[in-house]
Amino acid sequence: MHIHILGICGTFMGGIAAIAKQLGHRVSGCDANVYPPMSTQLEELGIELKQGYLIEHLKDEPDLVIVGNAMSRGNPMVEYVLDRNIAYTSGPQWLLENVLKDRWVLAVSGTHGKTTTSSMLTWILEYANMAPGYLIGGVPQNFESSARLGEAPFFVIEADEYDTAFFDKRSKFVHYRPRTLVINNLEFDHADIFDDLSDIQKQFHHLIRMVPSNGLVLYPQNEQAIAETINKGCWTPTQQSVDELNRDKGWFAEKLKADGSEFVVSFKADIQGTVKWNLIGDFNIDNGLMAIAAARHAGVPSEVGIEALSEFINTKRRLELRGTVNGIRVFDDFAHHPTAINKTLTGVRHHVGKERIIAVLEPRSNTMKSGVHKDTLAASLDHADLIYIYQGDGVDWSVEDLIKDCKAPCVVSADLANLVESISDETQTNDTIVVMSNGGFGDIHNKLLNALTDKQNKV
């Protein structure tokens, strides 16, 4: 078939394109912005890319159009597809019908940690020579691409609760029908499509209803929102990650180092082994436990999962070190929710001790722009010694209101160049700069590194 994908340069849709190509289809696609690294990855696979949503791109009429969830009515290509009665579907629906229906699906869901945990789980299965298929909403550095058809029955997928398409407002993950389901955590997010937390819990309940009785649902014991969702009905065996008081009842991690870079894994008080890795933070320990447990359900012994994680390279943009200048480290992190911001900075604080942390934040997600989290945002930055916040376009509230609530000195700017200059002027040797955004943030990471280099050269 000739398949054309609308919105092809998103990580998920780019993954769909790669898998469709591996299945032998002719694949083309377009996006509002076609640029590296996704454009390079797709072109190397022989996928035809076109810039913009022009109906001319469909003149060589495809057999099927896969519509990304960023597409809406009024888009000229959407209107053309509907008017011409061209066959169309969503990415998740296509994936179910062409790949997942015959596979053992291991789905990783939750508000935070989906990409990292999916990458860990996929790596464990790969390390165990199980050649899994996968589709991850990020760039896993243990692999060459973010998606692969795979050779084994196993398929790992990052299970997103965002809606499927303009014509299908169910969460994407209801199409995946997992046998192994991880629910990392559950908080209110995506305020542009969900009214409140209970609205999201309803979607997770729909997902849980699909897991078979020979499957497994994994989740942390101490998450009230997940417990409430499970109590709506669960027909599948469950396992939990637990605290020290309940270590004989589930998966438990005992930290050997405060920053989380070394910890002992046990299951029902039976020690499985010790993880020693380059990652930090309690949140990554939580992710690792879930990956080990999910892989065990697929037949990988815990000790093999532990060995694999000791060789795991974290996904790009998940507390990724972008460079060091004069002892000043610049990290890039995807955190864009107060809980994720707090967990990231807590992990960094345990790692750097009393050295200074400079937090640089862009409120960019639709939820953050709407101001839903503005009352909890300042407290999430408590571990920082200096705070810089970018007041970007489309933010519906005054970010400057945070200044009075932040414990550390806080600078707000709507000018990226001024922000970079202010940060570079204030930095000192051994500072750690943590840049947090779910977007490109105007390439601020490289701009900071260049400014710090210029500063050093002038000394």
Side-chain angles (χ1 to χ4, degrees), residues 20-207:
K21 186 70 176 181
Q22 291 170 45
L23 285 170
H25 299 295
R26 174 191 167 194
V27 183
S28 60
C30 57
D31 209 311
N33 295 297
V34 176
Y35 55 85
M38 183 56 74
S39 61
T40 305
Q41 180 177 309
L42 293 174
E43 286 168 349
E44 288 173 351
L45 293 173
I47 293 169
E48 310 161 43
L49 297 181
K50 297 176 181 177
Q51 177 77 36
Y53 298 120
L54 308 176
I55 60 174
E56 288 77 19
H57 299 336
L58 292 174
K59 294 302 183 182
D60 179 14
E61 193 166 298
D63 300 297
L64 178 70
V65 173
I66 300 179
V67 181
N69 73 342
M71 303 298 105
S72 58
R73 287 301 304 264
N75 178 292
M77 295 189 79
V78 168
E79 298 304 315
Y80 186 83
V81 166
L82 295 175
D83 291 345
R84 298 276 298 207
N85 202 28
I86 299 173
Y88 66 91
T89 189
S90 68
Q93 185 70 33
W94 181 88
L95 197 64
L96 171 65
E97 294 173 353
N98 292 273
V99 180
L100 301 184
K101 64 182 176 64
D102 299 320
R103 310 291 282 270
W104 177 323
V105 177
L106 300 98
V108 179
S109 67
T111 310
H112 318 292
K114 293 186 292 293
T115 301
T116 302
T117 308
S118 300
S119 301
M120 289 176 179
L121 176 54
T122 305
W123 171 241
I124 290 172
L125 296 178
E126 181 80 354
Y127 185 89
N129 297 315
M130 297 174 80
Y134 63 88
L135 201 167
I136 298 168
V139 183
Q141 297 195 82
N142 287 92
F143 299 90
E144 293 182 356
S145 66
S146 58
R148 182 176 76 185
L149 182 61
E151 302 169 7
F154 303 102
F155 195 99
V156 179
I157 188 161
E158 178 176 332
D160 184 5
E161 71 270 25
Y162 211 78
D163 61 1
T164 297
F166 76 86
F167 51 87
D168 182 354
K169 290 304 175 183
R170 296 172 295 171
S171 289
K172 289 187 212 173
F173 58 35
V174 301
H175 295 279
Y176 300 157
R177 302 185 186 178
R179 185 182 300 186
T180 307
L181 172 62
V182 172
I183 309 176
N184 271 337
N185 34 63
L186 187 49
E187 295 189 69
F188 182 58
D189 200 6
H190 305 309
D192 50 328
I193 61 170
F194 294 117
D195 293 332
D196 51 32
L197 179 59
S198 65
D199 207 11
I200 301 175
Q201 287 175 302
K202 184 184 296 183
Q203 294 295 324
F204 274 83
H205 175 57
H206 294 163
L207 175 62

Side-chain angles (χ1 to χ4, degrees), residues 391-410:
Q391 174 92 45
D393 295 334
V395 178
D396 297 334
W397 52 286
S398 176
V399 177
E400 290 191 358
D401 291 344
L402 289 176
I403 294 175
K404 65 180 185 300
D405 297 322
C406 289
K407 286 185 177 180
C410 178

Side-chain angles (χ1 to χ4, degrees), residues 302-350:
S302 299
E303 57 268 24
V304 176
I306 288 166
E307 286 178 16
L309 288 187
S310 295
E311 297 185 20
F312 177 71
I313 305 171
N314 204 359
T315 313
K316 291 186 76 66
R317 303 212 62 202
R318 271 62 182 182
L319 209 53
E320 177 190 2
L321 180 62
R322 293 290 295 268
T324 303
V325 177
N326 192 30
I328 301 165
R329 299 169 294 274
V330 177
F331 286 89
D332 180 17
D333 195 74
F334 198 72
H336 59 94
H337 182 288
T339 299
I341 292 166
N342 178 56
K343 288 183 176 180
T344 293
L345 295 179
T346 300
V348 175
R349 173 56 66 206
H350 285 312

